[in-house]
Amino acid sequence: MRLLNTRTLAFKQFFGRRPPYAILSHTWDGEEVSHQDVRDQIPSLQSKQGYRKLQESCRIAAEQRLEWAWVDTCCIDKANNAELTESINSMFRWYQQAAACFVYLSDLPATGELKTNLPNCRWFRRGWTLQELLAPEKVQFYDKDWDLRGTKDGLIVKLESITGIPANILTGHASIRQISIADRMSWAANRQTTRPEDVAYCLLGIFDVNLPMIYGEGENAFRRLQEEIIRKSNDMTIFAWQKSNKHVTSSLGSTTPHRSGSPLLATSPDDFTRQNKNETISILSIRNAAMSASINPEYIVTNKGLRITSSLLRLTQEDIGEPDQGLHYFLGLGEIKPRFSPPGQRGRMMGITLNKNGPDFFVRRNCPLRVLSEPEGSVLLTTCRRSFYIQLDDTATQPLNITSPVDAIAFPLQRLTTTTDPRAPEKITVWPGRARPESHWDETRRLFFLSNKRLLVLAISAFAIFQDGTRVELLMLVDQRAKRPAVQLFLQEKEAELYEWFLGRTEASDIHYWEQLPGELWRKASPWPGSQVEVVVGGGRRYVMSAWIQETDDPEAAALHQVVFRAERAGGVTDEIRAKL
């Protein structure tokens, strides 16, 4: 660390242990004094606008019996990239270890009320000054004439109001590491830096990470910052951001669903802007039973996306406060509660909704964060804890657009009606039920994603409910071995052993292949392009139900294939039940 002698203005390099020193925090104005200017004592040194900052900082430091001072404009040789990288990565620690920090507010008038003028100072809107407020224990604020106007301890109420940072964090009575990543990011929202890369570099110390400096990479620096935070922490609130231009109904909510996908990582700290500064986001708590599915997850950034081992909640629109029907996959990120809530108070679950875009592959929905309107004592269904991927951004191999048809088979998504006899209409409702393997089943859109592993068996149950209340459970097995997928249909009550083999087990991660089937089951399960079963309902009425898979030519469809059902009664008229896409 290169320090400046407060009396001679001469540099001295210190390695290891350093003497007590003062440190300057300011916003750059006009001509600042560089390292080369001071080292070479150029003739125009004292005429530069920034020279007075150097003089006054050293004068005040000397008056406080500090022999050494550090000023960022001249104590870093910015022509030396290695030194610049080391300095930026060490900056938070240098401010933290300073004996005193002098904050020079060049736009704070020497007269007038501090309460009115202080919030308007540019210093509170710059990126680098955030860590310069947080790190030092002793901070002194000076106006444009270098008159002392207060200290951090004395101005703590005003500083908390201006920055939204809790007083106990500003004073150092609580560790910054106790604060969630989302809350720390929100402190940096709407702050500016001259270089786009510095949006990320100025936050290194706040998140206790290190990065090499690559000026010229632009916004990619903020992505690298997030990836490094992910590497060191499993605080899921790093994904708790939303674009500020979204239409929200509350601090964290939306009335408008978005069909397209969204990157998982934020593009800047501005995405963490908090609508309500009196709310705080904390990590998931074991006290909230609904959150236990996502507590302490394991995740890592890969070339396919974020690989995470966790559980997902399966929510209806009602659970997330939307009026229409439907299911969503929901990943809990944290809990939201009032900032001044009592210790131990249970917060509301907050997170993001996901669309399934392939086997064990999800895309974040392009909509704001969700806060669950969970009724007390309600039970939220969860998927089994498993490893899956979430797409990071649009540079990945799979597109973010989730509206075009995918290589999957669509099953009925709602109640369907068929008429088998004009003289005696019979209503039959078909509901998809349990499906395996869960990795390939999208419950929200009732899709089975086809696999490149052609020997994989896709199994799903379906319930046929007749007008008189008779309920029949069917088993459908999908065979991908041929060029066109085929389906075999069975009655659950007649083929209980086959049903138990595919769907009776509790582990949704069970995966079955055709060659693994025992001989007798293999002969029963071998499918053909269409298959049928006979169903007997009340009054001895007999129906033949059949099913097959056909391609869809609808560009608005969710899948490239669909299941077609047919129900026929002896002497009746045949009608089809088709998947509604």
Side-chain angles (χ1 to χ4, degrees):
M1 184 180 190
R2 183 182 292 108
L3 294 176
L4 197 65
N5 188 287
T6 57
R7 299 194 182 278
T8 65
L9 300 187
F11 290 127
K12 184 174 181 180
Q13 195 86 22
F14 290 90
F15 300 94
R17 189 174 180 178
R18 294 179 290 270
Y21 60 91
I23 199 164
L24 176 67
S25 174
H26 65 112
T27 56
W28 284 41
D29 304 287
E31 283 188 311
E32 297 291 348
V33 175
S34 71
H35 170 70
Q36 288 76 16
D37 293 340
V38 178
R39 182 194 61 193
D40 300 338
Q41 289 294 302
I42 62 171
S44 60
L45 175 63
Q46 297 187 19
S47 64
K48 285 198 169 187
Q49 185 178 351
Y51 184 73
R52 191 185 176 196
K53 294 181 187 178
L54 203 64
Q55 276 188 316
E56 294 295 332
S57 299
C58 289
R59 176 186 64 80
I60 297 171
E63 289 174 356
Q64 297 181 16
R65 298 185 178 181
L66 292 172
E67 187 179 356
W68 300 97
W70 188 89
V71 179
D72 60 342
T73 59
C74 64
C75 289
I76 302 174
D77 182 1
K78 298 176 182 62
N80 185 327
N81 188 62
E83 181 176 330
L84 179 63
T85 296
E86 179 185 0
S87 299
I88 290 178
N89 279 279
S90 305
M91 197 84 69
F92 188 90
R93 187 172 66 255
W94 288 351
Y95 275 89
Q96 193 175 46
Q97 295 173 353
C101 176
F102 308 145
V103 175
Y104 175 58
L105 305 173
S106 60
D107 53 354
L108 179 64
T111 58
E113 287 192 16
L114 199 61
K115 179 180 180 180
T116 303
N117 295 326
L118 190 62
N120 297 323
C121 289
R122 197 159 53 97
W123 188 85
F124 291 103
R125 300 190 299 273
R126 302 299 293 174
W128 288 103
T129 57
L130 177 60
Q131 68 176 356
E132 296 163 14
L133 172 65
L134 289 167
E137 178 183 355
K138 296 181 179 180
V139 181
Q140 303 164 16
F141 291 88
Y142 293 85
D143 62 26
K144 70 182 189 67
D145 292 338
W146 286 93
D147 292 325
L148 180 64
R149 302 298 297 272
T151 65
K152 182 160 74 169
D153 289 342
L155 298 172
I156 195 64
V157 176
K158 292 184 179 67
L159 295 175
E160 182 180 30
S161 174
I162 295 170
T163 63
I165 303 172
N168 61 345
I169 298 297
L170 290 172
T171 58
H173 293 149
S175 172
I176 193 173
R177 296 186 180 183
Q178 297 176 1
I179 305 299
S180 69
I181 290 171
D183 275 3
R184 280 183 268 176
M185 284 289 189
S186 72
W187 302 340
N190 303 309
R191 288 176 175 259
Q192 293 87 40
T193 59
T194 303
R195 302 286 294 269
E197 297 84 359
D198 287 339
V199 169
Y201 300 159
C202 70
L203 300 177
L204 297 181
I206 292 173
F207 295 102
D208 193 24
V209 296
N210 298 102
L211 286 179
M213 305 298 105
I214 310 177
Y215 282 103
E217 66 175 327
E219 292 182 353
N220 188 59
F222 190 67
R223 177 195 168 106
R224 285 200 299 126
L225 171 67
Q226 294 172 90
E227 291 179 352
E228 188 63 18
I229 293 171
I230 290 171
R231 193 183 68 82
K232 295 190 64 174
S233 167
N234 66 347
D235 180 350
M236 296 281 285
T237 68
I238 191 171
F239 309 117
W241 59 270
Q242 61 189 17
K243 289 296 183 183
S244 58
N245 60 350
K246 293 287 190 296
H247 173 58
V248 295
T249 58
S250 62
S251 58
L252 295 171
S254 172
T255 59
T256 307
H258 301 265
R259 293 190 65 197
S260 60
S262 170
L264 183 61
L265 298 180
T267 56
S268 85
D270 293 351
D271 295 340
F272 292 87
T273 300
R274 196 65 46 79
Q275 302 292 326
N276 185 348
K277 290 189 176 182
N278 291 321
E279 288 180 335
T280 182
I281 295 177
S282 59
I283 61 174
L284 293 174
S285 168
I286 195 84
R287 291 186 299 273
N288 193 324
M291 295 181 180
S292 61
S294 301
I295 287 177
N296 196 30
E298 176 186 350
Y299 53 86
I300 187 173
V301 173
T302 73
N303 59 359
K304 186 177 178 179
L306 185 83
R307 187 178 69 203
I308 179 171
T309 301
S310 182
S311 298
L312 296 172
L313 297 182
R314 292 179 292 202
L315 307 178
T316 64
Q317 298 277 21
E318 183 179 352
D319 292 318
I320 56 177
E322 291 186 353
D324 53 327
Q325 299 299 314
L327 277 173
H328 285 296
Y329 289 107
F330 178 90
L331 179 63
L333 302 179
E335 52 183 285
I336 184 169
K337 52 189 174 182
R339 179 190 293 178
F340 302 106
S341 56
Q345 177 177 321
R346 173 179 169 175
R348 294 175 294 155
M349 180 186 265
M350 173 275 305
I352 56 176
T353 51
L354 305 171
N355 278 87
K356 201 165 191 176
N357 213 28
D360 274 336
F361 190 86
F362 293 83
V363 174
R364 178 175 179 161
R365 295 181 74 233
N366 187 18
C367 56
L369 297 172
R370 304 295 190 181
V371 177
L372 296 192
S373 53
E374 179 194 355
E376 190 67 32
S378 68
V379 177
L380 300 174
L381 298 176
T382 66
T383 65
C384 67
R385 189 177 178 91
R386 61 186 300 113
S387 294
F388 55 91
Y389 292 87
I390 305 177
Q391 186 162 306
L392 286 176
D393 56 26
D394 55 8
T395 63
T397 55
Q398 301 195 37
L400 283 173
N401 187 4
I402 57 177
T403 60
S404 56
V406 295
D407 192 15
I409 302 170
F411 289 78
L413 298 178
Q414 61 182 35
R415 295 173 184 246
L416 303 168
T417 303
T418 183
T419 302
T420 58
D421 189 338
R423 296 165 298 177
E426 178 80 30
K427 293 185 177 181
I428 303 174
T429 304
V430 178
W431 281 99
R434 183 184 302 178
R436 296 292 187 269
E438 189 178 272
S439 58
H440 288 62
W441 175 244
D442 178 5
E443 191 166 0
T444 66
R445 294 184 289 171
R446 301 293 191 265
L447 301 181
F448 237 139
F449 294 102
L450 295 178
S451 173
N452 55 6
K453 298 177 181 178
R454 294 297 178 182
L455 296 178
L456 180 68
V457 184
L458 307 177
I460 183 171
S461 66
F463 296 95
I465 305 174
F466 291 79
Q467 191 167 304
D468 65 355
T470 302
R471 174 176 169 145
V472 177
E473 186 172 3
L474 307 171
L475 169 66
M476 291 180 285
L477 301 181
V478 177
D479 186 359
Q480 309 175 85
R481 288 175 293 181
K483 183 176 181 180
R484 177 176 297 180
V487 65
Q488 174 70 299
L489 197 62
F490 303 91
L491 280 177
Q492 184 273 337
E493 62 181 13
K494 290 186 177 181
E495 300 295 345
E497 186 180 2
L498 197 63
Y499 181 93
E500 181 68 22
W501 179 267
F502 286 106
L503 296 175
R505 306 183 186 187
T506 57
E507 284 296 324
S509 58
D510 279 351
I511 292 179
H512 298 287
Y513 297 92
W514 289 107
E515 68 269 21
Q516 295 175 336
L517 293 178
E520 181 63 24
L521 294 184
W522 187 88
R523 283 188 290 273
K524 290 181 179 180
S526 295
W528 52 84
S531 65
Q532 60 187 28
V533 294
E534 186 177 89
V535 179
V536 180
V537 298
R541 301 191 313 279
R542 294 178 180 274
Y543 289 87
V544 175
M545 296 196 69
S546 56
W548 65 92
I549 297 172
Q550 69 179 28
E551 295 182 1
T552 177
D553 55 3
D554 183 0
E556 297 296 321
L560 295 175
H561 311 273
Q562 62 180 349
V563 170
V564 178
F565 290 95
R566 185 186 297 271
E568 183 177 3
R569 184 180 174 186
V573 179
T574 300
D575 198 6
E576 295 179 356
I577 305 174
R578 295 182 183 273
K580 298 296 184 182
L581 303 177

